[in-house]
Amino acid sequence: MTKTAITPTRAENYPEWYQQVISAADLAENSAVRGCMVIKPWGYAIWELIQADLDKRFKKTGHVNAYFPLLIPLSHLEKEAEHVEGFAKECAVVTHHRLVPDGKGGLKPDGELEEPFVIRPTSETIIGESFSKWVKSYRDLPLLINQWANVMRWEMRTRMFLRTSEFLWQEGHTVHATDTEAVAETIQMLGVYADFVQDVLAMPVIKGEKPCFERFPGAVNTYCIEAMMQDCKALQAGTSHFLGQNFAKASNIQFQNKSGEMETAWTTSWGVSTRMIGGLIMTHSDDNGLVLPPRIAPYQIVIQPIYRNDEQRDTVINYCNSLKQDLESQLFAGNEIRVHIDDRDIQGGAKSWEWIKKGVPLRLEVGMRDVENNAVMLSRRDDVGNKNSIAKSDLINGAVKILTKMQTSLFAKAESFRNERMTAISSIDEFNKFFAGDKNVDRGFAVAYAVDEVGIEEFIKPLKVTARCIPLANNDVAGACIFTGKPASHKMVFAKAY
RNA sequence: CGGGGCGUAGCGCAGUCUGGUUAGCGCACUUGUUUUGGGAACAAGGGGUCGUGAGUUCGAAUCCCACCGCCCCGACCA
């Protein structure tokens, strides 16, 4: 294939390629509102699949859904000092509650509020208000709540899915009687995220703890899952926070223990957002557009009927309908295979490319010849340009196997891509060389001994590198911090990041 | 908020420097015919407050002034 469906290619201009993939797959578009995007049906369908799968996992771990207000009284946000400091710079503020004619044919805000509201950048404080009323006794604990919501953070520079002013997410908020229980919850949910992202989105992630200077404002510990994109930059795909008693104190979440004494509770919060879709795009897609792992594809199989007249149409469509039914009766990853027949009256080539760019795993072309032979023409998204005739029965019996294989091979490919770009660094010189120099060379993740101290920031900031995390796995090692020379009890991962 | 760029059909642009018929091109769209197994061809159509406002002029997309919006680069971030 000489011509690619997406221009520029990844190698030519990665950020522009990313935009073009989104546009070509019809996932989303910019809106009239600065920094906010419109998520179009194909993009939203991916989000719905993410929601459905995660929601099941949350329920399985004992959580229930609820909904809290969009508007947070300013005084609530002020209660936790670090929290305010962290979010103050990016809050949208509601100051009026009505509009009146401005005398020039337009409208102007009127009715100034006594106390302004902040549009939630996250909901710890407003949920804390409710939790303080809900929690009275040790019998009310643990309290395990999740909310699916939109939030707003006034960002300076936005990028579709990766960073928009308004975004969709889920935020879990839990209350526990002891710190150990709350820490266990924090780690458990990090595991839920990691399993989901790896199994469903086929994105390999590193589970880790954020260094102290990267913590969520107000948290005691912040944990994360970090993924590597195809341009070798890191993307945080989810976070889980142990909030200690900071928010419980601020919101007065107390309970009476078994001996009748009042105790302050321990809380956690954890979230993933539509940003994951950005990560999904940048992990698997190629120069022909979006590539979707089968488990997250809104349609896993698209059937394209081919015919020349009404008589042929009847025959072909009947064949397609029964094929669709047979495929849908197969279970892939616990769900019916999602099959779509595209009978739109548009040119075959254009139609094929549309589904390629949308990332559909399998495409089937069905014409008279196939009907006669009891076969179909099969094309795979991971092998654009080739198609093979396959017996109808073989396809029906083999579809689950093919989808499973595509799912695991996408993960394997992304995993080896990442592993090849993780480099052990043993001195500050090496560190500087790794990240400095030619901007166009992708450098990946640097792994080095480093102490978890604010002081090391001054070594990494000038290079526009961030400390991504202290990996949780296989990290009970000791060595000298490459920046300070102090003894470090763990290694840290560094990278340029989104 | 600093530095640069751009606003002309749904999208991408030309035209602006040097003012002058009815504002044009490609893609997309509509209709028709022929096509159709890997991005079809021909023909005929529809679609414009030239970002907004004020000015110069016989005449403004074009020149002047003000304003608005967007994009890129820097300081902040899931």
Side-chain angles (χ1 to χ4, degrees):
Chain A
M1 159 156 305
T2 51
K3 191 184 158 195
T4 58
I6 303 293
T7 44
T9 61
R10 287 163 292 180
E12 286 161 357
N13 184 345
Y14 195 83
E16 180 60 23
W17 165 85
Y18 174 74
Q19 297 287 108
Q20 292 303 325
V21 170
I22 289 171
S23 152
D26 215 21
L27 293 170
E29 63 189 22
N30 279 313
S31 74
V33 185
R34 185 197 147 78
C36 297
M37 64 175 171
V38 175
I39 304 177
K40 298 183 79 173
W42 191 247
Y44 200 79
I46 293 172
W47 180 239
E48 286 179 313
L49 288 167
I50 290 173
Q51 283 184 299
D53 194 298
L54 274 176
D55 204 63
K56 245 186 250 171
R57 292 170 195 256
F58 297 157
K59 302 273 167 63
K60 226 176 226 172
T61 41
H63 304 83
V64 289
N65 287 328
Y67 188 80
F68 298 86
L70 171 71
L71 298 179
I72 300 176
L74 196 52
S75 57
H76 278 56
L77 205 69
E78 287 165 346
K79 282 180 184 170
E80 215 294 324
E82 280 184 44
H83 192 63
V84 203
E85 207 186 310
F87 285 106
K89 282 168 290 186
E90 50 190 45
C91 286
V93 186
V94 178
T95 53
H96 294 73
H97 66 88
R98 87 162 75 94
L99 294 167
V100 293
D102 65 358
K104 289 178 270 180
L107 294 165
K108 62 176 183 185
D110 190 50
E112 188 167 354
L113 297 168
E114 250 175 64
E115 185 186 351
F117 289 111
V118 168
I119 299 178
R120 62 181 165 222
T122 177
S123 304
E124 274 74 9
T125 55
I126 190 85
I127 290 180
E129 157 97 1
S130 289
F131 282 4
S132 71
K133 288 187 280 188
W134 297 358
V135 174
K136 298 289 174 204
S137 147
Y138 70 92
R139 291 193 185 89
D140 299 325
L141 300 178
L143 180 58
L144 307 172
I145 300 287
N146 177 63
Q147 150 164 282
W148 289 97
N150 56 341
V151 288
M152 173 156 269
R153 299 179 188 177
W154 209 268
E155 297 291 349
M156 305 249 184
R157 287 191 63 196
T158 58
R159 237 198 263 247
M160 279 210 242
F161 290 111
L162 298 173
R163 174 163 293 109
T164 48
S165 289
E166 182 189 8
F167 59 91
L168 304 181
W169 78 346
Q170 124 322 282
E171 46 181 327
H173 295 272
T174 68
V175 188
H176 305 266
T178 65
D179 58 346
T180 50
E181 207 183 283
V183 168
E185 164 79 4
T186 309
I187 299 292
Q188 173 187 239
M189 297 322 288
L190 187 75
V192 167
Y193 287 155
D195 290 348
F196 167 75
V197 169
Q198 300 201 137
D199 295 349
V200 179
L201 305 185
M203 293 166 59
V205 292
I206 297 171
K207 287 197 271 187
E209 181 178 352
K210 284 287 179 194
C212 57
F213 48 88
E214 296 283 351
R215 258 179 222 141
F216 176 76
V220 173
N221 298 303
T222 287
Y223 298 89
C224 61
I225 47 175
E226 293 287 332
M228 187 191 284
M229 304 294 102
Q230 288 183 72
D231 61 351
C232 298
K233 283 190 178 178
L235 182 84
Q236 180 177 314
T239 49
S240 184
H241 315 290
F242 169 55
L243 302 174
Q245 292 180 310
N246 295 346
F247 285 89
K249 280 178 187 158
S251 301
N252 198 31
I253 306 173
Q254 291 189 318
F255 65 97
Q256 222 169 4
N257 66 20
K258 284 183 185 172
S259 5
E261 298 153 341
M262 291 306 285
E263 273 190 54
T264 299
W266 303 80
T267 64
T268 80
S269 69
W270 27 274
V272 296
S273 71
T274 37
R275 173 180 247 206
M276 281 198 305
I277 297 174
L280 180 72
I281 296 165
M282 288 197 291
T283 301
H284 303 299
S285 300
D286 62 21
D287 295 336
N288 287 313
L290 189 62
V291 174
L292 290 171
R295 288 187 67 176
I296 205 67
Y299 299 142
Q300 289 150 334
I301 300 176
V302 166
I303 304 173
Q304 297 174 226
I306 293 160
Y307 49 81
R308 294 176 192 222
N309 52 49
D310 285 352
E311 197 189 332
Q312 289 190 356
R313 181 176 186 275
D314 287 346
T315 311
V316 170
I317 291 289
N318 279 339
Y319 186 87
C320 290
N321 282 334
S322 88
L323 178 61
K324 178 173 191 263
Q325 265 187 15
D326 289 340
L327 287 167
E328 283 172 343
S329 70
Q330 309 288 311
L331 290 184
F332 170 63
N335 299 302
E336 280 182 10
I337 293 182
R338 296 183 285 270
V339 186
H340 175 68
I341 298 174
D342 183 359
D343 189 30
R344 287 174 305 160
D345 180 21
I346 57 175
Q347 206 52 38
K351 193 186 278 188
S352 299
W353 280 105
E354 191 177 312
W355 292 114
I356 291 168
K357 288 184 282 190
K358 280 174 173 287
V360 166
L362 300 179
R363 285 184 310 104
L364 307 178
E365 292 175 20
V366 175
M368 288 303 287
R369 247 181 280 160
D370 307 296
V371 175
E372 280 154 24
N373 299 333
N374 226 16
V376 300
M377 276 297 199
L378 169 69
S379 307
R380 296 172 55 142
R381 182 60 185 82
D382 54 4
D383 188 19
V384 170
N386 283 323
K387 58 180 171 183
N388 297 296
S389 184
I390 175 173
K392 188 182 170 192
S393 57
D394 287 349
L395 175 75
I396 292 162
N397 296 324
V400 169
K401 210 175 186 180
I402 297 170
L403 292 172
T404 306
K405 226 176 155 183
M406 287 179 86
Q407 182 80 29
T408 53
S409 80
L410 280 172
F411 180 84
K413 192 173 160 199
E415 192 181 37
S416 58
F417 179 92
R418 182 201 62 190
N419 290 347
E420 284 160 18
R421 287 163 182 79
M422 289 188 55
T423 305
I425 298 287
S426 55
S427 75
I428 191 159
D429 259 14
E430 255 180 73
F431 186 86
N432 289 337
K433 274 187 198 140
F434 186 75
F435 286 112
D438 190 348
K439 259 192 273 183
N440 298 314
V441 176
D442 298 320
R443 289 166 199 283
F445 290 1
V447 186
Y449 287 108
V451 291
D452 183 9
E453 290 176 9
V454 185
I456 68 170
E457 261 190 306
E458 70 183 81
F459 295 95
I460 63 177
K461 262 200 169 168
L463 294 166
K464 300 197 174 168
V465 171
T466 53
R468 303 313 300 164
C469 69
I470 301 158
L472 299 184
N474 308 318
N475 204 6
D476 47 351
V477 290
C481 171
I482 62 163
F483 303 110
T484 63
K486 295 181 194 170
S489 58
H490 49 68
K491 291 187 173 181
M492 208 179 273
V493 174
F494 301 86
K496 305 216 177 193
Y498 279 99

